[in-house]
Amino acid sequence: MTSVLALSVLVLAGCGQDGGSDAPPATASGSVALSPSHGGTQGGNLVLADTGGNTKEPVTVRFGDKEVECEFDDRSSRHACEVPAHGTPGTVEVSFAAGGSEIGEKTAYTYTTHGTQDIPVLTVDTETVRRNAEEIRGDFPSGVQLGAVLKNGEPVDVFGKVIEDAADVDYIFVPKLDDAIALREAGVEAKIAVLYVAQIEDIPLLMHYDVEVAATDPAWVEAAEQVLSTTGGTLKVHLWVDTGMGREGVVPEEALPLARAVGDAPHLELAGIATHFSTITEDDGAAIERNDTSNTTVAQKNRFDGAVASIRDAGLGEDALIHAGASDVLANDLEPLYYDLLRVGGMFFGATAPEDRVYSWTTELNQVKTLPAGWCIDYGCTEPTTEPKKVGMINHIPTRENELTYTVGGKQVPVLLDHGTVLTLDLSQVPDAAVGDEVVIDFSAEAFHLLDGTAPLPVTTTGG
């Protein structure tokens, strides 16, 4: 039996036990709980199970549609189960059997993206994403292609499939090749393009998964052509023009030379010409109409249109998609910036009403106590209490760029002490709060509709 301490994820659970063929039927105490009740979709983590029986014979545990045999572990006096892998994040029913008969109560186990499993699980309501996608498609401008931008991190494959099915998107744009591969393996059939920069050594994978990329400069084009001459086929690329964002793409004067390099490469095809606006406002429509070049968006539009014209005047990129607008362009109904395709990201994940929020994030109070008056708060004793104050501690909270709110017992409570991953909450308004009470971590749907894909959050889904 592998030592419990040697495993990366430890889940304590309750389940049934099996008496041998000559032994009395196994019994269970009834209540079964998994604590914590989640782990990564890759499986392989250990679950220790106790149903209150008295047998050391193996038991069978069913996670959804997969069964595992669980041997008795003498060190913990529990049955040890290795959780089977599961294809996608989500919650499955767990049942327990001994001697062919079901024992104990059924419970649930939640599969998440890898993340860091001691961080509170973030739940994504895919049904809300689906409704958003249907509404976007229903109101989408005629004759303009819809490109979905997925920069939310995991589970990109779930997001992509839900959005493709609901909105019949033409393109999906992702920040990295791994995301594109996950989409293809999930069965996404839309065109996929990797934003920003693709590595030359990844070109065979790009060809295999039919993924488009950005052509960054003539040197990249030359190196890509050398690889493509050995793989065969044609790699579709997008030429990004930096018109005033200072991020991806070449400056307008370098757009034509790059387009010529792509045009001269036998195994490359210019599929798109793109830019990204930095300062979209509701006033841009009027500024565009009067060509007010003091307006940042107008200045960017003119630079972009000039770059596109220079490329097409040279007989290049005549069939390339022109795309520049994102969710903010669509939200502000700036028709002159629609071009051939709009890249929509945040609008798929926003919500106006609390009950429609895409994300729910909860943890629990780890410790509750009352601090005396005059008690120090924080290093340096900068804000001592003026009266006795009930407080609660939560930990393993990842640092976020956006301001979070914390609710206990239906009441929003202030943060008294924030040390990054460890927080002390002021529970003065929740006198009955106790250890184990749920803490709802929340953020404005408008301000926080894109997750930080680099954060090691374990994410699961509801809604299919």
Side-chain angles (χ1 to χ4, degrees):
M1 177 60 63
T2 303
S3 168
V4 173
L5 297 177
L7 295 169
S8 60
V9 179
L10 176 61
V11 182
L12 302 178
C15 56
Q17 297 156 335
D18 179 13
S21 58
D22 298 327
T27 60
S29 59
S31 180
V32 175
L34 304 177
S35 176
S37 58
H38 68 273
T41 54
Q42 72 275 16
N45 50 298
L46 191 72
V47 170
L48 296 178
D50 176 21
T51 60
N54 59 3
T55 181
K56 295 185 177 181
E57 296 300 317
V59 297
T60 301
V61 180
R62 176 181 285 272
F63 291 81
D65 59 357
K66 295 181 180 178
E67 286 187 353
V68 293
E69 293 296 315
C70 306
E71 301 288 339
F72 190 78
D73 172 40
D74 289 323
R75 289 188 178 184
S76 63
S77 296
R78 302 290 189 270
H79 283 82
C81 311
E82 186 175 292
V83 177
H86 193 64
T88 58
T91 299
V92 299
E93 185 180 75
V94 179
S95 60
F96 314 94
S101 300
E102 191 168 300
I103 60 173
E105 295 181 352
K106 293 179 179 179
T107 187
Y109 183 85
T110 298
Y111 284 95
T112 71
T113 59
H114 292 20
T116 299
Q117 294 299 315
D118 55 3
I119 290 176
V121 174
L122 184 76
T123 300
V124 176
D125 182 359
T126 54
E127 187 55 39
T128 301
V129 176
R130 188 186 310 279
R131 288 198 302 270
N132 289 347
E134 290 171 348
E135 290 176 4
I136 290 169
R137 172 48 81 185
D139 295 334
F140 206 70
S142 176
V144 179
Q145 293 192 28
L146 173 55
V149 180
L150 299 182
K151 296 192 288 187
N152 292 53
E154 297 181 293
V156 66
D157 50 346
V158 175
F159 290 148
K161 199 72 180 98
V162 167
I163 291 172
E164 181 185 49
D165 291 345
D168 190 26
V169 295
D170 299 283
Y171 262 90
I172 298 181
F173 295 89
V174 292
K176 56 185 180 178
L177 176 57
D178 285 350
D179 294 335
I181 293 173
L183 290 172
R184 283 288 183 241
E185 292 184 344
V188 168
E189 297 179 355
K191 296 177 182 178
I192 300 174
V194 175
L195 300 164
Y196 317 128
V197 179
Q199 303 303 315
I200 295 298
E201 57 266 29
D202 289 337
I203 286 177
L205 283 172
L206 294 167
M207 297 297 293
H208 176 78
Y209 288 102
D210 190 19
V211 176
E212 302 172 14
V213 293
T216 55
D217 54 52
W220 185 94
V221 169
E222 182 180 357
E225 179 60 32
Q226 291 178 357
V227 174
L228 289 163
S229 65
T230 65
T231 63
T234 301
L235 177 64
K236 295 183 178 180
V237 298
H238 294 248
L239 191 160
W240 286 80
V241 184
D242 181 357
T243 56
M245 172 67 82
R247 203 172 64 182
E248 69 275 2
V250 297
V251 296
E253 293 75 16
E254 296 175 353
L256 179 56
L258 179 54
R260 282 185 172 135
V262 172
D264 291 340
H267 297 91
L268 292 177
E269 177 184 336
L270 187 56
I273 306 173
T275 194
H276 193 93
F277 293 110
S278 64
T279 318
I280 294 295
T281 72
E282 60 183 7
D283 300 325
D284 289 340
I288 293 170
E289 187 173 348
R290 63 177 184 268
N291 194 27
D292 178 3
T293 56
S294 66
N295 175 279
T296 301
T297 299
V298 173
Q300 282 195 262
K301 181 181 187 302
N302 289 347
R303 292 170 190 150
F304 182 59
D305 291 345
V308 172
S310 69
I311 292 171
R312 289 188 163 170
D313 287 347
L316 301 167
E318 294 179 355
D319 296 324
L321 283 173
I322 309 303
H323 54 103
S327 296
D328 48 6
V329 168
L330 182 60
N332 286 287
D333 195 24
L334 300 177
E335 189 172 347
L337 306 182
Y338 287 176
Y339 296 102
D340 298 324
L341 175 146
L342 282 168
R343 304 184 303 267
V344 179
M347 293 179 75
F348 289 112
F349 301 94
T352 54
E355 61 270 20
D356 292 332
R357 287 191 177 115
V358 173
Y359 304 116
S360 60
W361 197 13
T362 62
T363 186
E364 62 183 34
L365 293 172
N366 305 123
Q367 184 180 20
V368 174
K369 60 188 176 185
T370 299
L371 303 179
W375 208 253
C376 290
I377 302 295
D378 211 345
Y379 293 113
C381 197
T382 54
E383 297 183 30
T385 59
T386 58
E387 58 186 10
K389 188 180 293 292
K390 185 171 185 177
V391 300
M393 189 185 78
I394 57 176
N395 61 3
H396 302 303
I397 307 301
T399 301
R400 313 301 302 172
E401 291 184 2
N402 299 79
E403 184 177 350
L404 301 173
T405 62
Y406 301 86
T407 302
V408 179
K411 295 183 178 180
Q412 186 174 322
V413 299
V415 176
L416 190 63
L417 177 64
D418 185 348
H419 281 175
T421 62
V422 182
L423 282 76
T424 299
L425 304 178
D426 183 346
L427 301 179
S428 301
Q429 302 303 310
V430 196
D432 297 330
V435 171
D437 283 359
E438 183 179 75
V439 179
V440 178
I441 308 171
D442 203 3
F443 32 66
S444 165
E446 292 79 10
F448 196 95
H449 47 239
L450 290 178
L451 290 177
D452 177 1
T454 65
L457 286 172
V459 179
T460 192
T461 64
T462 61

